[in-house]
Amino acid sequence: MNNVIFEGIATALVTPLTDSGVDFDSMGRLIDWQIEEGIDALVICGTTGEGSTLSDEEHKACIKFAVERSAGRVPIIAGTGSNDTAYGIQLTQYAEEVGSDACLLVTPYYNKATQDGLVKMYDEYAKATKLPIILYNVPSRTGVNIEPKTYERLADIEGVVAIKEANSDISKIVETMARVGDKLTMYSGNDDQIVPLMSLGAKGCISVLSNVIPKETREICTRFFNGDVAGAAELQFKYSELVSALFCEVNPIPVKAAVAAMGLCQSIIRSPLYEMSPDNFARLKKAMIEVGVNI
C-alpha cells in the first residue's frame, strides 16, 4: 500500500472568523488544543473549514498559518479541491510550497464530471504536485459519485494514496474496498460510520465530531485498533446523538455553533450559510452537555 498519511482521527477544522476576516488568534488556539488532545492530523479549509467561501488570500493564509503553527507536530492536510481544476492546481501547488503534508481534493461540484473526466482531472493534479492526494467523495454535496471501478483506475495514478469516503452507500464502499483496499487508504468521511468503515479496513476518520470532543473521538479508533471492537462500538453509540445534532443543519453550521458555545471562537459563519435555528441549537447544546462537554 502507498504511504499512510495518518491513522486515527483527522479533525476537519472549523475556520474561526470575525466580521472582517479570519481570526488567526482563535485558529492558533484551536490547533494547539487539538494537538494537545491527541488528534492525529488536521484538515484545513475543507468543507467544515468553509473553504468554498474563503477568499483566495484567506485560503492560502490559513494553510500557511496551520503549517507554521503545527510545526510538524501532526500532518497538515490542505483542502485544495475546486470545480475549477486550474485554480485547484494553483492552490495545491501553494500548499506544497508552504509545507503541507497532503492535499484533500473534492470531486468537482456543480459542473460535475464524468467518470472518465474524474480520472483525467485527478491525473492533472497528480502531475502538478508531489503532495500525496486524498480523494474526497461526497456525492450529497457535489452531485457526482466516484464509482468503485473508477477507484481502480485512480489507484494506478502515482500520488493518489487515500480516500475520504462520504458516500453513505455501504454496499458501494464494500465493493470499493474489495477493489482497492490493498492500494488506497480509506478514511470515513462520516462520523456516524467510523466503526462500520474501520471494520471494512478503513484507517480512521476525517471528522467533524472531533472539533468538539477530539480526545473522545480518537478513543473510538484507539479501542478498535487495540482489538476492542465492542468498546469502539460502545463509543460510536454513546456519541450518536451528538453526531446527529452536529448534522441536523448543513455542516458546518452546527459545529461552528458548538465550538463557539465552548468559547473557542465566535459563532460567525459565511453566507449562504447562517446561524442555526434556536430549536436546533437547544438540541445541540443538550447533546453536548449529555456527553460532558463544558459550555
Side-chain angles (χ1 to χ4, degrees):
M1 181 181 286
N2 287 321
N3 181 46
V4 176
I5 299 165
F6 72 94
E7 290 189 359
I9 298 294
T11 298
L13 196 69
V14 299
T15 301
L17 299 170
T18 68
D19 290 327
S20 58
V22 177
D23 178 358
F24 285 106
D25 288 340
S26 293
M27 188 174 185
R29 288 191 293 271
L30 279 175
I31 289 170
D32 290 343
W33 177 63
Q34 286 282 325
I35 295 171
E36 289 163 6
E37 289 286 291
I39 217 67
D40 299 291
L42 291 168
V43 174
I44 306 301
C45 300
T47 303
T48 309
E50 298 179 74
S52 59
T53 51
L54 295 176
S55 69
D56 181 58
E57 181 181 79
E58 289 172 333
H59 203 138
K60 290 178 177 178
C62 284
I63 294 170
K64 186 174 187 290
F65 179 86
V67 170
E68 292 175 349
R69 186 67 173 236
S70 65
R73 290 178 288 170
V74 296
I76 296 297
I77 301 164
T80 56
S82 173
N83 65 335
D84 175 358
T85 304
Y87 174 66
I89 286 173
Q90 175 194 344
L91 202 54
T92 302
Q93 290 175 330
Y94 177 82
E96 179 180 351
E97 177 186 325
V98 298
S100 301
D101 296 285
C103 59
L104 180 68
L105 299 179
V106 70
T107 58
Y109 41 88
Y110 186 71
N111 46 8
K112 301 165 68 173
T114 64
Q115 296 299 300
D116 284 345
L118 289 173
V119 175
K120 291 175 182 176
M121 182 199 74
Y122 283 117
D123 187 55
E124 284 190 62
Y125 276 102
K127 288 176 178 174
T129 183
K130 294 180 181 178
L131 286 180
I133 291 171
I134 303 176
L135 309 169
Y136 180 14
N137 190 37
V138 57
S140 64
R141 285 183 176 267
T142 64
V144 60
N145 183 56
I146 304 177
E147 295 295 331
K149 289 182 179 179
T150 305
Y151 277 123
E152 279 191 301
R153 298 168 64 190
L154 292 167
D156 290 334
I157 298 174
E158 185 176 357
V160 173
V161 303
I163 304 164
K164 177 186 177 183
E165 185 56 81
N167 170 11
S168 298
D169 187 337
I170 291 292
S171 295
K172 289 279 191 182
I173 297 170
V174 169
E175 184 182 351
T176 295
M177 290 300 285
R179 289 177 181 273
V180 301
D182 60 339
K183 296 179 180 179
L184 299 178
T185 301
M186 180 176 285
Y187 302 109
S188 175
N190 293 326
D191 284 300
D192 60 354
Q193 294 182 340
I194 300 174
V195 174
L197 263 65
M198 287 197 300
S199 74
L200 296 173
K203 297 297 183 182
C205 179
I206 295 178
S207 173
V208 174
L209 175 65
S210 58
N211 277 280
V212 181
I213 49 170
K215 183 182 294 183
E216 294 84 349
T217 308
R218 182 59 178 80
E219 180 63 19
I220 297 173
C221 295
T222 299
R223 291 187 182 187
F224 190 94
F225 294 153
N226 289 338
D228 183 9
V229 177
E234 179 185 13
L235 294 183
Q236 182 84 75
F237 299 147
K238 177 179 180 179
Y239 303 126
S240 62
E241 171 55 21
L242 178 54
V243 170
S244 182
L246 284 169
F247 290 91
C248 69
E249 293 187 17
V250 176
N251 181 47
I253 294 172
V255 71
K256 178 66 76 74
V259 175
M262 295 165 68
L264 300 175
C265 72
Q266 295 185 65
S267 184
I268 295 176
I269 196 159
R270 289 220 171 135
S271 178
L273 303 184
Y274 300 91
E275 290 191 11
M276 67 190 308
S277 72
D279 286 348
N280 283 336
F281 186 47
R283 176 190 173 187
L284 175 61
K285 288 195 296 183
K286 182 174 183 290
M288 292 168 68
I289 291 168
E290 285 177 348
V291 298
V293 179
N294 292 320
I295 57 175

